[in-house]
């Protein structure tokens, strides 16, 4: 058995996404071996993170710096007519990296899968209410892109969102399906292949 | 060491696609254990395959039965204005399964990757010549879909085909890229995600 | 849909171990493309296999050539005091390849897992009866090595065999457990690691 | 691009074992979302870790609490005649979990593979010097178990250690090789299978 402090830290690291107790143990021994300055830098940066990072009240993206809203929402060059709904912040970053989307975002914070905790579901529902308010007020928005993952959870959340957003009478679109780079026709499901055929160009 | 006949059969099965010597050995022991009638049926079916299967001179699909050309090429209900180029017959079957494509096919028989044998490359080049002749003669064809796999080999073959087919002055399209069912934005490459955004609907 | 002969052959290949319909289809197209001589060689070798291969009545290994029993059972230089029980012929070959075992073999033909078909279970039980007869008659045998796989099925079959063979009053051993080449202590289960410690040398 | 503090923390987490930038980003967003108390507990525990954890000067295991040496080295009930050399602390824990080893340990801190940095190699060499001193002084030790991983690096380090420790004239053993629980004869390498046969019982 590991000593109490090691055990306690293994438990805390095990709550990190994708981390099990074995990996958590490796993290702890990495910290034990690491030079004091390295660990101090880590502690200081985590503290700073909790102090400096704010959540944008418009899109729910994390940001730091001056201002009440995030850099994307505040950017006058962004196209204010298109709003892209994503599950989580890393998805927003993935879209930003393409450089192809110039509109605004809205982070849903998760998916409705029927399996999540009541509390989590309520959070997402609250966010959808804020989304509806925002769209109702902001007359500039002409299109909502539901850019959720084409996973089972993402797809059922997309359907649920479509029902919720329908009364707003705004154009609602979804990301195109198709074969990804490196994919093969032979292993593609029929829906993906059908979409790839229909969206040929 | 296995006995000579077993060894010889392991070598022959090892030439089958995806089969290594270990799997080949399992195939041989499966046949040793299998009832005589089962093995006879296998032998007879392989013989029939080599006797009955013809290759369609128009699309290079395998087929059996009456007639000089395959059932798809002979079907009057198929849309003769669209020709879909695929790498191999299983890709054709994958597209047929979607039920979304009503045009005709042309099987290229492989890809040009720079690594294939001279002989193989020559075969594909011959086939492209036949494709060009067919398209030149057949005034009905209005669109050629290059439905090769979006792999490195498929993409370079697509570029090569585009150059070859350009002088024909016919509309050339490609399958749409996008997120496949089950995919995730976080793990998608930029090209796939860009296409998914552009082909949203 | 593939043509009838192709479909029939896909079904027959799908019965091969590890082969699903997709791989079976690739096998069929490999055969369609393959030169006639190659396919003829395959057919001839499968026919020969079914004609020439005999099953040794002592150890149930397949063999070809003169004689009523297999080359290992007939070899006067093999150590007749040790009998190694294996699940299947490929396991026998794996042990032969090490060159470390000079005794005789007995192929069980499968495992007792509780999930196999009645018929299969009866076959294995019949074989165990033959094993018992053989050991009772053959006074030279001093040790039976139960070299079944240390999988769940292999382990329960080992226990079952131990009960069956106990009345014979012969030394029964099992393969040593331990860390395999390339293994890591960190990921080893406790039983494996305990055995590795106990069998240190 | 992520904001500066997020980016900095992603870089720090990316130094953790097994963590790449994508996983590091997920860790950061986990911390952003996590309640303040949870993060405070993490920070406090990491601080405590660096304050409380001592390294045992005898076996190089980490420990906390009173005393100059670790609980295992200090335990009068441990068998002082056997010393088990392991690569790293998690390997020690794996052996402790079996409950089968009652002797003492010595953590080498890594392997000699020829590819590690000079500094790292020097550290391991220093530790081996300490090991030699310890064994020379401590007349109770009768056996040294080289319990390194049977990986390429572990095996070359084992050979290197054997040469270094030979002059001490003490019995040197290694963990037994064999098939692990769940392993299969068919896929075992010859060395593993030979050992499994030799260590049968």
């Amino acid at each position: 058995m590991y000593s109490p402090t090691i055990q306690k830290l293994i438990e805390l690291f095990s709550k990190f996404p994708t981390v099990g107790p074995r990996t958590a143990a490796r993290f702890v021994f990495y910290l034990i071996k690491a030079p004091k300055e390295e660990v101090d830098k880590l502690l200081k940066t985590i503290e700073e993170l909790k102090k400096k990072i704010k959540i944008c009240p418009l899109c729910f993206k994390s940001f730091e710096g001056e201002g009440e809203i995030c850099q994307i929402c505040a950017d006058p060059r962004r196209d204010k007519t298109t709003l892209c709904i994503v599950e989580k912040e890393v998805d927003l970053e993935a879209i930003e990296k393409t450089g192809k989307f110039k509109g605004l975002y809205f982070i849903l914070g998760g998916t409705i899968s029927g399996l999540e905790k009541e509390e989590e579901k309520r959070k997402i529902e609250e966010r959808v209410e804020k989304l509806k308010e925002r769209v109702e007020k902001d007359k500039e928005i002409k299109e909502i892109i539901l850019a959720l993952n084409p996973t089972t959870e993402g797809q059922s959340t997309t359907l649920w969102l479509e029902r919720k957003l329908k009364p707003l009478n705004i154009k609602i679109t979804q990301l195109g399906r198709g074969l990804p780079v490196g994919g093969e026709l032979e292993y593609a499901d029929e829906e993906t292949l059908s979409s790839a055929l229909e969206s040929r160009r």
Side-chain angles (χ1 to χ4, degrees), chain A:
Chain A
M1 261 296 285
Y2 294 115
S3 70
T5 312
I6 291 179
Q7 199 55 48
K8 211 162 124 192
L9 195 48
I10 287 176
E11 276 157 35
L12 289 167
F13 277 134
S14 295
K15 294 183 187 170
F16 277 50
T18 77
V19 177
R22 221 193 289 265
T23 305
R26 298 187 68 174
F27 287 2
V28 174
F29 290 113
Y30 163 77
L31 290 178
I32 289 176
K33 271 193 179 178
K36 204 184 166 302
E37 313 83 69
E38 185 73 19
V39 179
D40 284 346
K41 220 196 290 179
L42 178 73
L43 293 172
K44 221 185 107 227
T45 313
I46 295 175
E47 268 167 33
E48 267 178 34
L49 183 84
K50 293 304 276 188
K51 253 183 242 158
K52 289 189 181 169
I53 294 299
K54 295 177 278 190
I55 300 299
C56 175
L58 284 176
C59 71
F60 296 97
K61 183 184 170 337
S62 67
F63 73 106
E64 58 187 302
E66 304 288 305
E68 291 300 304
I69 60 173
C70 80
Q71 285 81 352
I72 292 177
C73 286
D75 186 344
R77 291 160 307 178
R78 303 290 301 208
D79 167 17
K80 266 126 188 98
T81 66
T82 321
L83 190 64
C84 182
I85 319 289
V86 292
E87 286 179 24
K88 49 195 188 307
E89 188 154 345
V90 287
D91 298 337
L92 181 157
E93 287 296 325
I95 295 176
E96 279 298 284
K97 256 192 203 153
T98 67
K100 291 285 166 60
F101 181 69
K102 295 300 173 196
L104 300 177
Y105 293 97
F106 185 89
I107 296 171
L108 197 58
T111 51
I112 296 288
S113 68
L115 291 167
E116 67 289 326
K117 294 183 206 123
E118 255 327 291
E119 191 199 2
E120 224 172 293
K121 198 178 172 182
R122 220 188 43 243
K123 262 190 196 170
I124 294 177
E125 282 176 336
E126 276 171 25
R127 242 180 233 193
V128 174
E129 288 313 308
K130 290 204 175 147
L131 170 64
K132 284 167 73 178
E133 282 171 34
R134 177 174 167 188
V135 177
E136 273 165 358
K137 267 190 221 156
D138 184 348
K139 295 301 177 204
E140 280 190 280
I141 299 171
K142 303 294 178 220
E143 177 184 355
I144 294 175
I145 306 172
L146 300 177
L148 282 76
N149 288 329
T151 55
T152 315
E153 294 80 17
Q155 286 180 308
S156 60
T157 309
T158 296
L159 287 172
W160 175 81
L161 275 174
E162 281 184 322
R163 271 199 310 279
K164 292 264 183 189
L165 301 175
K166 214 180 170 186
L168 297 175
N169 251 323
I170 279 181
K171 183 184 174 190
I172 294 174
T173 57
Q174 290 182 36
L175 293 186
R177 297 291 164 72
L179 287 167
V181 170
E184 292 184 51
L185 276 78
E186 192 181 346
Y187 302 109
D189 61 289
E190 294 177 24
E191 190 184 335
T192 298
L193 201 43
S194 297
S195 300
L197 270 165
E198 284 163 16
S199 67
R200 72 178 181 268
R201 49 183 189 164

